[in-house]
Structures are given as C-alpha cells and as structure tokens.
C-alpha cells in the first residue's frame, strides 16, 4: 500500500450529473465530427479574480538540494485582499475580448449584458467572417449573471447560438483548464503596487500567449470530451481541475 493525497474536485457528482456531462461531451464530439469548422467558430469566456499578490505554486517555490541538505523552508503566506476581476473571451486563434470590472461594479445580469454587447462589437471588428454569417457559437458557464432571463433574451434576439456547459464542470471549460492557469502562473509570487499595475501585467501576460497555445487548447478540449465519454461523465484520472476564484 502507498499513502496518496485526494484530488480536489468541484463536487461529488451523482449519476444524473455524470450522465449530463457525458451527454454534453457526446453532442460536442458529434458536432465537431460532422463539421470541421465547428471548433474554430466557438468563442468561450469567463471571469476570474487577479490579485495584488498570489502565492507561488509548490512547483514554483521548489529548489534543487543535495541529498544531505535539509528541505527549504518558507513562511506561510496568503493571497492579498486587493484584487481586480478580469473577463476574457477567446477562440481558436486568440483573444477576442477582454475587460476589467469597474471599481464598485458587481457582476450582475445588467453588467454581463453590457459585456455581451462589447463582445459582439469586438467579434464584428476582429472576426468579420464569423460576424457576417452569424456563424459563431458562444460558450460560457452557468453563473446566474450568464443565464439570467435578461441575457438569454438578448442572445435569442440576436440569434446567438449558445453551447451548453455542464454544471460543476470547470474541467470542461477552456478558461478553467487552460487560460486562467496559464495567465496567472507568471503573476504568482509577484507584488503589484496598484490596481493599475495588476491590470497592466495581466494584459501583458494575456498578449504574450501565442496563437499556437489557443489552438492546442481547443485540441485538448476535444480530447477531454472523448475522455468524459469513456469515463461515463466522471472526472477522469490525471485531470488537473482548476478551481479559480
């Protein structure tokens, strides 16, 4: 026997939730298999907090030591209370829209509706081929502000095709398994003197991501759908689920 640590997962899924995840994965695989342009027409997004200071990961703070040297020590630290919320939407080729939550503003249905309007404008400017035929698909999670009647009516009015996201499934959302971990890793362990510095460095890291990374993300997304089908909707072994704030 060997001693192992438990993996952190969002929720202990019941049978129906696993079946739902599997059904979503099967639908996505079917659509991707029947239309080779499907993956390139998805625009996915979400919000995340970026902190004035966030701790380094265990891997980042590890050090090389000789066998007879003691393990390194470091003081216990916690992330700062100063933070700013970043919203990002991206597709197969790169970032389509990003913005920071204004000071004092809550992420409610009215704010998210304004985000949708700005996203549509950026799609019109940056993805004219998708805009011309209204051939793009929106993917976001099931946050209350995303699924409010106000937002759903706006999307329906503008004939926006929305891709389903299974509940309790950050492992099925590209922002969670790809973008936010990639974005935040270089920021960990650094202190920023102001909100503006947080924003500036966040945008810098966002722009530094190559287009090849986004392409690889969508390829990984498709592989994950196949794994959920094989695992009957369960979180499959080896999946590093990111629970971002």
């Amino acid at each position: 026997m060997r001693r192992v640590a438990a993996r952190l997962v969002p929720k202990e899924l019941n049978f129906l939730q696993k079946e739902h995840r599997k059904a979503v994965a099967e639908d996505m695989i079917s659509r991707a298999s029947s239309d080779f342009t499907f993956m390139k027409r998805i625009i996915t997004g979400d919000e995340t907090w970026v902190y004035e200071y966030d701790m380094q990961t265990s891997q980042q703070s590890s050090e090389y030591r000789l066998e007879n040297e003691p393990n390194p020590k470091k003081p216990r630290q916690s992330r700062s209370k100063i933070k700013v919320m970043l919203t990002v939407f991206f597709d197969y080729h790169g970032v389509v829209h990003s913005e920071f939550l204004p000071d004092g503003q809550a992420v409610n249905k009215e704010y998210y509706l304004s985000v949708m309007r700005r996203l549509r404008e950026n799609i019109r400017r940056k993805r004219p081929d998708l805009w011309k035929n209204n051939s793009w698909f929106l993917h976001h999670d099931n946050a209350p502000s995303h699924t409010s009647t106000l937002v759903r009516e706006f999307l329906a009015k503008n004939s926006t095709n929305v891709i389903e996201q299974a509940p309790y499934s950050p492992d099925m959302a590209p922002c969670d398994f790809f973008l936010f971990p990639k974005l935040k890793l270089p920021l960990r362990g650094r202190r920023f003197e102001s909100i503006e510095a947080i924003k500036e460095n966040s945008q810098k890291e966002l722009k530094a991501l190559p287009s090849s990374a986004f392409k690889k993300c969508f390829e990984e997304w498709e592989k994950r759908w196949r794994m959920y089908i094989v695992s009957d909707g369960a979180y499959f072994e080896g999946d590093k689920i990111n629970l971002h704030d």
Side-chain angles (χ1 to χ4, degrees):
M1 296 181 68
R2 59 192 179 95
R3 191 178 180 87
V4 295
R7 289 188 304 134
L8 185 64
V9 296
K11 179 182 172 67
E12 187 68 31
L13 299 171
N14 60 37
F15 172 76
L16 292 178
Q17 289 164 340
K18 291 178 182 178
E19 285 294 297
H20 189 184
R21 282 164 55 91
K22 182 179 179 180
V24 170
E26 288 175 336
D27 177 59
M28 296 295 276
I29 284 294
S30 175
R31 297 168 81 170
S33 300
S34 61
D35 181 3
F36 72 93
T37 69
F38 176 67
M39 298 298 291
K40 296 180 180 180
R41 294 188 284 130
I42 301 175
I43 295 177
T44 180
D46 200 358
E47 307 94 12
T48 188
W49 288 110
V50 186
Y51 294 85
E52 176 266 341
Y53 175 79
D54 202 353
M55 307 84 67
Q56 287 183 317
T57 64
S58 299
Q59 183 63 35
Q60 282 180 305
S61 60
S62 62
E63 301 176 12
Y64 286 104
R65 293 293 179 97
L66 297 174
E67 287 189 10
N68 59 346
E69 289 185 298
N71 292 336
K73 296 179 181 180
K74 67 176 182 178
R76 184 180 297 276
Q77 296 176 312
S78 60
R79 58 171 53 128
S80 68
K81 294 182 179 180
I82 302 173
K83 57 187 179 180
V84 62
M85 181 166 280
L86 171 65
T87 299
V88 184
F89 286 88
F90 66 96
D91 66 0
Y92 189 90
H93 302 287
V95 174
V96 178
H97 175 69
S98 67
E99 64 176 79
F100 292 97
L101 184 71
D103 187 33
Q105 172 69 57
V107 182
N108 51 31
K109 58 186 178 182
E110 291 81 12
Y111 172 73
Y112 196 69
L113 177 61
S114 69
V115 172
M116 290 292 97
R117 290 193 172 106
R118 289 187 286 275
L119 171 63
R120 284 175 55 83
E121 176 59 24
N122 273 328
I123 294 172
R124 185 186 67 79
R125 293 190 303 105
K126 297 181 179 180
R127 304 290 188 266
D129 51 333
L130 298 181
W131 177 264
K132 182 179 179 181
N133 300 316
N134 193 34
S135 59
W136 62 287
F137 297 89
L138 172 66
H139 174 265
H140 55 190
D141 65 18
N142 302 299
S145 58
H146 300 179
T147 57
S148 68
T149 302
L150 183 67
V151 171
R152 285 190 285 111
E153 287 179 348
F154 173 80
L155 296 175
K157 180 182 177 181
N158 290 282
S159 302
T160 301
N161 299 300
V162 181
I163 291 176
E164 185 178 8
Q165 166 69 12
Y168 311 112
S169 303
D171 53 324
M172 298 179 78
C175 279
D176 291 278
F177 71 73
F178 161 71
L179 185 65
F180 294 153
K182 282 272 190 184
L183 170 68
K184 293 183 179 183
L185 187 62
L187 303 177
R188 285 179 174 267
R190 299 168 58 187
R191 291 191 181 274
F192 303 107
E193 68 277 7
S194 65
I195 291 292
E196 289 305 315
I198 301 173
K199 293 179 179 180
E200 180 182 344
N201 283 274
S202 299
Q203 286 287 12
K204 180 180 177 181
E205 296 301 334
L206 196 58
K207 292 177 180 178
L209 292 172
S211 58
S212 58
F214 293 97
K215 177 182 177 181
K216 186 176 180 180
C217 162
F218 277 77
E219 292 171 350
E220 168 69 14
W221 197 12
E222 188 170 352
K223 290 178 183 177
R224 284 172 178 253
W225 295 333
R226 299 183 187 281
M227 290 302 300
Y228 301 132
I229 296 171
V230 172
S231 64
D232 288 326
Y235 304 118
F236 58 86
E237 288 300 318
D239 188 18
K240 296 181 180 180
I241 299 172
N242 175 62
L243 302 175
H244 72 276
D245 291 276

